[in-house]
DNA sequence: GTTGCTGCAAAGTGTTTGCACCCTG
DNA sequence: CAGGGTGCAAACACTTTGCAGCAAC
């Protein structure tokens, strides 16, 4: 968390931006909150300590976090974006339970390697990828 | 295309629904149009031969096609759903060029198998999955 | 004291829905 | 001729933006 604040402050310093109470509050909430938050969820959390904050500020700050490399956007196709920690949280993919919404993270180096192979075979340079598996988790079966 | 109309008519017959000029027009356009159409795109195509059609009808018919198993919904995270042929078009994944928007389809049985493995290891029963690779295609490099 | 930031409300975007009329079966 | 289908417009859900006042540097 100290490191994250540092990353954000560096980014802010390098771009002639300002550190504000609200930005700190959002970062704080984001840092300690569960993975895969939506803007709305984060808004409710931040509002507990910062009741006058507007939803727009959450969106703007999340954009900032994404640009600074602290967060990454996720889209599980349910009509709203979600955000997860990127800082010190290495790449992984997701298994989403369609019953209870639980999300299991996993990573599989061999799958990644095979993707690289397919891409190369097609003259395609990968910048990112996402693999989402939908199904029913152990608890819901 | 004849077969697709048949599938749709069967589905319609089994569900007390009706075949209309508009539905035929949408299916027609969908059948001959390129992969990964958005509702808006399909609307413009259908409107050429059926100028009085409403966008809502496109959405409703696409839902129908999805339910009947002729189409499947895609979401590349750009804020709009896309649809592709499902009938006689086996499963595959997508490589999306972020420069020109081109989409390369591929399928990789070993990747699929590995996914099954990870799922099983987590007590997770897969119903579907999607793997999207983003990057730059050969033409754009 | 500049210049960027905030809250608010309004505008946007893609999609869905309510309703009166129309058409298929 | 009954019940589903259509077009239209309004409603929706999520996100972005314009603006006047506010606060960081």
């Amino acid at each position: 968390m100290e490191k994250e604040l540092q990353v954000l402050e560096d980014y802010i310093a390098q771009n002639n931006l300002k550190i504000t109470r609200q930005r700190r509050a959002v970062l704080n909430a984001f840092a300690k909150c569960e993975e895969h938050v939506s803007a709305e969820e984060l808004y409710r959390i931040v509002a507990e300590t910062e009741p006058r904050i507007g939803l727009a500020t959450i969106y703007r700050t999340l954009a900032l976090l994404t640009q600074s490399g602290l967060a990454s956007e996720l889209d599980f196709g349910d009509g709203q974006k979600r955000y997860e920690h990127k800082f010190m949280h290495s790449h992984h993919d997701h298994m989403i339970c369609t019953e209870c919404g639980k999300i299991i993270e996993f990573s599989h180096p061999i799958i990644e390697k095979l993707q690289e192979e397919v891409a190369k075979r097609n003259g395609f340079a990968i910048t990112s990828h996402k693999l989402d598996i939908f199904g029913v988790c152990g608890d819901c079966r």
Side-chain angles (χ1 to χ4, degrees), chain A:
Chain A
M1 169 58 203
E2 263 70 55
K3 279 185 184 166
E4 284 162 314
L5 187 53
Q6 195 51 55
V7 171
L8 184 61
E9 293 196 354
D10 287 354
Y11 181 86
I12 283 178
Q14 282 161 27
N15 291 75
N16 276 48
L17 306 176
K18 292 172 183 175
I19 295 188
T20 63
R21 194 160 40 84
Q22 292 89 331
R23 287 184 176 173
R24 253 189 257 266
V26 173
L27 179 56
N28 243 295
F30 181 65
K32 58 168 64 90
C33 98
E34 63 178 71
E35 303 287 329
H36 321 113
V37 235
S38 65
E40 193 68 43
E41 284 162 8
L42 193 56
Y43 173 58
R44 279 196 284 270
I45 297 168
V46 177
E48 286 171 20
T49 60
E50 198 66 37
R52 307 218 11 103
I53 203 165
L55 186 48
T57 299
I58 306 290
Y59 278 107
R60 288 188 276 232
T61 309
L62 280 170
L64 199 61
L65 294 181
T66 305
Q67 287 153 27
S68 69
L70 285 171
S72 49
E73 285 186 9
L74 305 176
D75 184 349
F76 296 135
D78 62 341
Q80 63 181 18
K81 290 180 189 165
R82 294 175 178 283
Y83 298 83
E84 74 177 357
H85 273 248
K86 193 171 181 185
F87 193 64
M88 312 216 70
H89 189 48
S90 56
H91 172 75
H92 55 263
D93 294 308
H94 297 101
M95 267 160 51
I96 302 106
C97 176
T98 48
E99 294 294 317
C100 68
K102 181 166 62 190
I103 296 169
I104 304 175
E105 300 184 348
F106 69 92
S107 72
H108 199 308
I110 305 179
I111 292 182
E112 311 266 305
K113 175 105 36 150
L114 291 174
Q115 287 176 38
E116 272 301 344
E117 234 176 81
V118 187
K120 185 170 288 179
R121 203 181 306 149
N122 287 274
F124 194 90
I126 297 183
T127 53
S128 72
H129 72 264
K130 56 181 236 168
L131 169 58
D132 298 331
I133 299 181
F134 299 91
V136 187
C137 75
D139 297 344
C140 293
R141 289 209 278 165

